[in-house]
Amino acid sequence: MELLSSWCYDGSLPESYVMPPERRPGNLVVPLEKSIPVIDLQCHDPKDTIQQILKASQDYGFFQVINHGVSEELMDETMNVAEEFHAMP
């Protein structure tokens, strides 16, 4: 499986993708905790899993998922794409 950026990346980001600084969000409040919520998708109670996702989304806006079944190879490729993206000007 080849990720999209592997064949179309030319080192630049189209101007239309860049939000002007005056329109970018600022002063975002993120709860300061020891760790972000971790949600185990192999939990045997789907209703509990859904409640965990809802709570983490409302309280933090993000969460970590474990036991999701995504291959390590695909996760590595995805992280490489993220690094390429964030290295752009």
Side-chain angles (χ1 to χ4, degrees):
M1 175 183 215
E2 186 172 345
L3 296 175
L4 178 64
S5 73
S6 300
W7 60 267
C8 71
Y9 177 69
D10 69 359
S12 64
L13 189 65
E15 276 300 313
S16 62
Y17 288 14
V18 179
M19 184 177 287
E22 64 276 3
R23 292 190 51 220
R24 295 177 189 166
N27 299 324
L28 299 176
V29 178
V30 176
L32 298 175
E33 299 287 331
K34 292 182 180 177
S35 63
I36 65 170
V38 176
I39 299 173
D40 186 346
L41 293 186
Q42 285 187 346
C43 176
H44 298 290
D45 183 358
K47 289 181 184 178
D48 183 48
T49 302
I50 291 168
Q51 289 305 311
Q52 289 179 42
I53 292 171
L54 289 172
K55 181 163 179 39
S57 298
Q58 291 169 349
D59 294 349
Y60 288 82
F62 53 89
F63 49 88
Q64 179 180 356
V65 177
I66 60 173
N67 295 320
H68 42 66
V70 177
S71 73
E72 190 168 334
E73 179 183 356
L74 180 56
M75 289 189 291
D76 289 343
E77 288 178 28
T78 302
M79 289 303 291
N80 290 336
V81 170
E83 287 175 9
E84 287 178 10
F85 175 81
H86 289 288
M88 292 179 164

